[in-house]
Amino acid sequence: MKIVITLLLCSSTFIVKSQDALETFNETRILNAHSNETLKKKILQFRIEHRFGDMAGSAGGAQEFFGFDNAADIRFAFEYGVTDKLMIGLGRSKGTGAPYRSLVDGFVKYKVLEQNKAKQIPVGVSLFGASTITYMKANEDLSLVQSFPKFSHRMTYVSQAIISRKFNDRFSMAILPTYVHRNLVLANDINGLFSCGAAISLKITKGFGILGEYFYNFHDNEIRTEFKNSLSAGLEWLTNGHNFKLVITNAKGFNEVQYIAGNTSDWSKGQFRLGFSISRNFKL
Amino acid sequence: MNRLLIIVFIGLIGVLYSITYKSSTDIRVISKRINVSELGLEDILSRLGDKPLNHRLVTFDDSKAQIGLELIKYGKTSKQKSKRISKHFVCTDCHNLGREFEELSDDSAENRLEYARKNGLNYLPGSTFYGIYNRTSFYNDDYIKKYGNLVDNARDTLENSIQLCAKYCSSGRYLESWEVEAIMHYFKKTELKLRDINLTENQLKNVLNSQKMNSEEKSELVSMIKSKYSQSYSAHFKPTMDRNDRKYGEGGDVENGKAIYNSSCLFCHYDKRVTYLNLDETQITAQMFWRNIESYTDKSLYQIIRYGTYAKTGRKQYMPLYTDEKMSDSQINDLVAYIKQLAGK
């Protein structure tokens, strides 16, 4: 009986150091892409994300104040930790207009594996699935994707595995095999697109770090002639309950369907932009 | 006739026995029936004529105590419909449930840490709930600086202390009466027993023979028993140590510091268990502390330990402060010595 009581008393005051790779990335996003991290249980996060217009090139420069006059995409979202390993999110994006505007996205992310030296698990694996739907007004021109002949043409889907590894206190990396599916595309595009992302995080201090992210699309360049791979770099500041990121990227839009499958901006033509994301956590 | 007399005689003896049995339930009689060392101190003290506790529970219900334990550990109970007490804290984030000192009259930070290290306990800013039922004063000394007049009604009444803790310390809500009752029953269950206060054989003998004592002797006995445990824990706030007085870990005990870091800081901060700030035993985390060690801000260990942070509108989560009794200046130096080593400085 004494043992039972002792265990009962101890159970409330015992630190379980279950992992040895906490904060592989500082929050649930790397830059555009999701990281392996999920929100803790009963944490509600509000996110505001913004991408400005082209900094340089024909649509940028001083006339557009290096893109600050324009908003390529804006996303507001509420995201929530259902358990310590499962999170869901619902967001609304302005959309880049190529081809979608007024996008609503919903996603689920689940931590399948956590890196753990003692258990000889070298990497963390999270699975991510998302879907978007646009409620933009359909265009009468049937040669455009935006004509949406069927309701299902408004929908897109993403599946992604986020394989991450924290190499040391400061350096982490992730590989992100991704599949994006769109129900309706033009002739110069494909419905199902495989892509693989790679991302790094280098923490200079506990609260400040540098991030990089690149997605390589496995597509036939002769069909998808207009599309470009997304390349992004960023700085990150972490404070108690807040995360602020400053991003420079050629991708205009949020959601995988836009920044992986629908990206047409080219770094070499000055079509890169600043962006930021701010998140604030609330306990429910 | 004789038979009738015998029956009446036996009946009278029976009645007399039952009367004497009830009126002489002194400690010696009790000791014949149960293990005297398991007796609660409240019971013993009241039999010795001590003033009853303000929060005395006349009856005890174990099922209520179980609910009380659930409320303490999880902020809600599965046995009754209830809303979580606080979304920010549960009681055990700041209070241990078990014994924290070898000698229960002790309240030195050094001995508390030594006992915690020896027994694998966490080193928390609040006093343990173990024996709280036998205490008579709460939110003592400098807690008035933090909670103002709110402590007035809580200082001498355990039930009010529970309410103050639930509403303000845990940034939660006032409890329903059944919740307070359940917690009180848990406190009663874990009240100090005679065996807990380490009496000598002679002292124990005196307690057992107390029914023969006069009131003066009983009063002395009460004082002796009370000297064996703390009825109220001192709580003195200290200002942030002046930059010039800080030792920055010099001469500090690194092992002690590591124990404090693990059993205090990481208990809440590891993997963001209670807060948004993740702490771990990495160099990058230690460097964050070391870089700010000289400052007078929340980022300096010297300040955050002494002041904590405060709950405010829109941000109810906060860090409680450590009083001088719960973490001494010397222990802070030990902690800084460990952080310095971890930071590679």
Side-chain angles (χ1 to χ4, degrees), chain A residues 7 49 53 66 79 100 103 112 116 153 161 172 177 184 187 212 222 255 258 265 269 275 277:
Chain A
L7 283 175
E49 301 174 287
F66 307 99
E79 302 179 359
Y100 307 114
L103 278 169
V112 181
N116 193 314
H153 294 155
S172 300
L184 180 66
E222 287 181 10
N255 300 317
Q258 294 197 108
S265 301
K269 292 179 184 169
S277 61

Side-chain angles (χ1 to χ4, degrees), chain B residues 75-268:
Chain B
K76 60 180 181 179
T77 173
S78 55
K79 298 186 176 67
Q80 207 158 327
K81 196 179 174 190
S82 70
K83 196 180 144 206
R84 209 164 20 140
I85 295 169
S86 164
K87 59 185 176 184
H88 303 289
F89 298 100
V90 293
C91 307
T92 48
D93 288 333
C94 291
H95 301 271
N96 280 324
L97 301 183
R99 189 181 184 121
E100 285 190 336
F101 288 100
E102 202 70 57
E103 290 294 329
L104 293 174
S105 56
D106 200 349
D107 68 351
S108 96
E110 271 65 31
N111 293 341
R112 185 167 175 257
L113 179 63
E114 191 185 333
Y115 191 86
R117 287 187 67 180
K118 208 185 284 178
N119 295 280
L121 301 176
N122 288 303
Y123 195 55
L124 305 178
S127 299
T128 178
F129 284 167
Y130 174 80
I132 194 172
Y133 185 81
N134 305 90
R135 280 174 236 156
T136 52
S137 179
F138 317 93
Y139 287 99
N140 301 312
D141 306 317
D142 287 343
Y143 269 108
I144 194 164
K145 291 177 183 169
K146 183 157 184 170
Y147 297 111
N149 293 339
L150 291 168
V151 302
D152 290 348
N153 293 330
R155 283 194 155 161
D156 61 354
T157 313
L158 184 52
E159 290 93 332
N160 291 347
S161 291
I162 294 169
Q163 292 286 26
L164 174 55
C165 201
K167 174 71 180 169
Y168 293 97
C169 304
S170 80
S171 290
R173 61 170 171 85
Y174 284 122
L175 303 185
E176 305 278 335
S177 57
W178 66 266
E179 290 173 314
V180 176
E181 195 186 356
I183 290 173
M184 286 299 300
H185 276 261
Y186 172 75
F187 287 165
K188 170 72 181 168
K189 186 176 182 176
T190 55
E191 76 161 315
L192 298 179
K193 311 287 187 301
L194 202 54
R195 67 175 142 79
D196 297 322
I197 57 172
N198 304 337
L199 294 183
T200 63
E201 209 170 302
N202 268 344
Q203 287 168 331
L204 191 62
K205 212 177 275 177
N206 281 341
V207 175
L208 289 174
N209 293 323
S210 58
Q211 83 278 9
K212 293 175 188 166
M213 291 178 174
N214 58 34
S215 59
E216 203 174 306
E217 287 169 324
K218 281 184 178 175
S219 168
E220 272 176 30
L221 200 53
V222 166
S223 302
M224 184 277 292
I225 291 173
K226 285 188 168 180
S227 72
K228 297 287 181 183
Y229 67 95
S230 192
Q231 279 98 69
S232 80
Y233 282 116
S234 305
H236 293 102
F237 294 2
K238 279 192 125 178
T240 301
M241 189 183 282
D242 189 280
R243 187 179 283 158
N244 299 317
D245 296 334
R246 299 176 190 178
K247 291 183 184 168
Y248 299 109
E250 198 183 318
D253 181 336
V254 173
E255 281 306 308
N256 234 15
K258 185 177 180 177
I260 293 167
Y261 188 65
N262 272 284
S263 57
S264 295
C265 311
L266 294 194
F267 179 59
C268 284

